[in-house]
Amino acid sequence: MNSSVNIVPAERKDLPVITQLAPEIWQYAYKDILSAGQIAYMLLMMYAPEKLQADFDNGVKFRLVVSENAAIGFFAFFECADDRYTLKLDKLYLKPDFHGRGIGSKVLQYLTECASDAGYKAICLNVNKENVRAIRAYSKNGFKKKASVKIDIGSGFFMDDFIMEKKIM
């Protein structure tokens, strides 16, 4: 992996970078899994500037993944409302050109260390059941399938996900 990749906290002023990165990454990640209509709907639902601002204000922590002074990806996490011992990884996306280089594993290791240092007992996440590449990467990094969910997100669209969890020792 390129050692010049860094993880940096995203401030409020950095949120537009995430809004800008999301469409490029999502078109690649979900083009064979979700309809173009659902991708557009979810991008607006999750990455509109006002939505990211509200998430930020409500305690979601955002991080940028940076290489050569340019953001190449992002992730977000927060404490689960129903389990204060579990950290929820809410987003983890990298530009397609940076896949397969161990950067995602570096992010997951960083998050695991942060969670452990803060006293969390587990990290959980949702992943689309057909996102084989992501499921493989999470499994390789110690996450196990815990449940299957189908979440109505409105406008006739659903998120058909596995919930995966990694226990922290």
Side-chain angles (χ1 to χ4, degrees):
M1 183 190 68
N2 187 338
S3 61
S4 68
V5 172
N6 295 303
I7 297 167
V8 298
E11 304 295 330
R12 179 181 304 281
K13 67 177 176 49
D14 299 316
L15 296 177
V17 173
I18 295 170
T19 298
Q20 186 177 23
L21 283 170
E24 173 190 348
I25 294 170
W26 271 56
Q27 294 302 329
Y28 174 81
Y30 296 111
K31 69 182 182 307
D32 297 328
I33 298 173
L34 303 174
S35 70
Q38 183 164 349
I39 291 171
Y41 177 81
M42 291 181 72
L43 283 169
L44 187 59
M45 179 182 91
M46 299 169 76
Y47 296 99
E50 58 275 8
K51 171 61 173 143
L52 291 178
Q53 292 280 345
D55 288 347
F56 188 90
D57 292 342
N58 287 321
V60 175
K61 308 287 188 236
F62 292 91
R63 299 290 183 266
L64 294 175
V65 182
V66 177
S67 177
E68 298 178 11
N69 296 318
I72 61 164
F74 60 91
F75 61 104
F77 56 95
F78 56 88
E79 184 175 289
C80 287
D82 59 344
D83 181 356
R84 67 183 187 95
Y85 296 106
T86 299
L87 196 66
K88 169 86 180 220
L89 175 59
D90 187 42
K91 300 165 178 47
L92 170 50
Y93 294 102
L94 297 170
K95 286 184 168 188
D97 291 350
F98 293 89
H99 288 196
R101 298 185 188 185
I103 298 169
S105 291
K106 179 179 180 176
V107 167
L108 293 170
Q109 181 60 39
Y110 168 92
L111 187 61
T112 300
E113 289 171 10
C114 290
S116 178
D117 291 349
Y120 290 101
K121 305 293 183 207
I123 301 169
C124 71
L125 59 89
N126 285 38
V127 60
N128 185 290
K129 290 176 184 172
E130 295 191 35
N131 194 340
V132 176
R133 187 174 39 249
I135 293 167
R136 187 173 34 245
Y138 291 130
S139 296
K140 183 178 104 176
N141 283 279
F143 286 81
K144 305 219 179 311
K145 292 176 188 171
K146 181 178 174 182
S148 175
V149 295
K150 191 166 185 177
I151 303 164
D152 186 339
I153 58 171
S155 294
F157 297 121
F158 293 85
M159 292 191 333
D160 194 11
D161 292 349
F162 288 121
I163 297 174
M164 297 184 77
E165 181 179 68
K166 178 180 182 177
K167 299 286 187 187
I168 299 172
M169 302 301 157

